[in-house]
Amino acid sequence: MTINRMINGQEISVAPAVNVYPATEEDVPRLLYLGHLFNEESGRQFDIDNEHWCRFWQQAIATDMGCAFYAATARHAHPVGMIMGIVYPSHIDQRLEVTESLWYLSKPYRRARTGIELLDALECFAELIGASRINMTHLANPHGRRIHRLFERRGYVAAECSYYKEVNQ
């Protein structure tokens, strides 16, 4: 959804203001829609098992082994973006880590600060639970360089490059 406004004699489409909210177990089914949009745009086209996806994230949120934040114009309104993370003890030193699993914004919100606000929420969550590390990933696409620079400006260090391979299809 966009709002058309006249600025300096030109009509410009702008996204309405949003806030970032922590997702509850009840919010998870509404976030599934954004998971499907991410899947479509990523070019990877995974077969998402809707029931499993919702059950997984509801359980992760309920047990504090995961977190999710969403951006919307109002609490419990249709979400326009989200960031989700998995919490686990490191295999190296037992300290908690948060690994981003999915970070998505619908197109009208990608040039606004909404993505940064979602990342801020994930980082704040990690600090609150005493995590020692946050692991972020991004898709291998033309926007990768811009995301890479964003991560570096925020203090992230490039550590690995990941690959995946489908097996047992």
Side-chain angles (χ1 to χ4, degrees):
M1 175 180 132
T2 58
I3 299 171
N4 293 326
R5 291 199 176 137
M6 292 297 288
I7 299 176
N8 295 331
Q10 290 186 310
E11 186 175 47
I12 297 177
S13 295
V14 295
V18 297
N19 291 307
V20 172
Y21 302 97
T24 64
E25 297 160 61
E26 294 77 33
D27 294 318
V28 168
R30 289 183 301 110
L31 300 181
L32 176 62
Y33 167 75
L34 295 176
H36 280 285
L37 289 178
F38 172 83
N39 190 38
E40 289 171 19
E41 291 181 30
S42 72
R44 291 167 68 175
Q45 298 297 314
F46 294 114
D47 288 329
I48 297 175
D49 179 333
N50 294 342
E51 286 183 34
H52 171 74
W53 193 91
C54 286
R55 199 170 41 251
F56 175 88
W57 284 106
Q58 287 168 333
Q59 183 178 1
I61 290 168
T63 60
D64 294 327
M65 294 308 291
C67 63
F69 298 91
Y70 68 93
T73 55
R75 183 98 171 124
H76 306 299
H78 182 72
V80 299
M82 70 175 167
I83 193 166
M84 304 175 102
I86 304 292
V87 179
Y88 59 92
S90 169
H91 66 283
I92 298 168
D93 58 13
Q94 290 290 313
R95 294 165 53 189
L96 288 180
E97 294 188 11
V98 176
T99 295
E100 170 259 330
S101 176
L102 196 154
W103 185 16
Y104 178 81
L105 280 170
S106 55
K107 288 181 182 178
Y109 293 87
R110 292 185 185 163
R111 291 289 183 188
R113 289 202 42 85
T114 308
I116 300 300
E117 291 170 6
L118 287 166
L119 182 55
D120 287 343
L122 183 72
E123 290 177 352
C124 183
F125 170 82
E127 288 178 21
L128 286 172
I129 65 166
S132 62
R133 238 174 256 112
I134 301 171
N135 303 302
M136 298 294 295
T137 59
H138 64 81
L139 295 174
N141 65 27
H143 304 292
R145 283 192 188 137
R146 193 172 75 233
I147 298 297
H148 182 82
R149 287 191 305 270
L150 167 70
F151 288 154
E152 285 184 338
R153 282 193 313 268
R154 293 181 67 101
Y156 290 84
V157 177
E160 296 179 4
C161 179
S162 67
Y163 295 83
Y164 81 97
K165 176 182 175 180
E166 298 284 342
V167 295
N168 297 319
Q169 295 177 12

